[in-house]
Amino acid sequence: MGMLDVQADRVRAGATVEFRPAGTSMVPLVHSRQRVRVAPADPAVLEAGDIVLARVSGTVYLHLVTAVDTPRRRVQISNNRGRVNGWTGHDRVFGICLAVDDVPRPGAQAKVRAPDSPDPKGAPGAA
């Protein structure tokens, strides 16, 4: 289990976390080892351009939402270099990036899942 899997589990359980992801696929939005703050997301209100912590095809990524398919309750996840990772359901979108090195992401706070609302699987803190 990788570092992003551990963070995804914590966020899915309702925690807001800070960590330093490695890699260059999100430059210039997130540089390698920059501190990010991620809170549980309300996937129903996500938009293209949001940075989310999500599982796509078995791998957890901190990547961009590049398309939204509301009727099918899914979002497309891509890096910031043009690589599309694929579509993933709302139940596999764990969190939204609120800040990078304490610089707030515009509009992200409004997309945080309320603490008392169920996660996309249907139960508060369900795993």
Side-chain angles (χ1 to χ4, degrees):
M1 180 181 276
M3 185 268 300
L4 288 180
D5 293 290
V6 171
Q7 300 302 342
D9 286 345
R10 293 177 62 206
V11 172
R12 182 175 37 210
T16 296
V17 300
E18 289 191 359
F19 58 96
R20 294 176 180 272
T24 59
S25 66
M26 287 296 290
V27 171
L29 299 174
V30 181
H31 290 268
S32 188
R33 308 296 300 153
Q34 277 189 300
R35 188 178 66 247
V36 296
R37 184 171 27 314
V38 176
D42 178 353
V45 296
L46 293 175
E47 302 172 283
D50 289 332
I51 299 174
V52 296
L53 186 64
R55 184 178 308 280
V56 181
S57 301
T59 302
V60 176
Y61 297 97
L62 184 72
H63 275 180
L64 287 171
V65 172
T66 50
V68 176
D69 183 354
T70 303
R72 294 177 71 181
R73 297 180 40 82
R74 66 184 189 156
V75 296
Q76 185 180 62
I77 303 298
S78 305
N79 68 22
N80 200 35
R81 306 266 179 173
R83 162 113 168 68
V84 175
N85 300 98
W87 290 92
T88 196
H90 285 182
D91 62 328
R92 290 183 302 268
V93 177
F94 309 117
I96 184 161
C97 180
L98 299 179
V100 178
D101 278 346
D102 293 324
V103 177
R105 295 275 307 152
Q109 186 64 48
K111 298 170 186 171
V112 172
R113 188 177 79 230
D116 59 345
S117 69
D119 80 358
K121 287 191 173 190

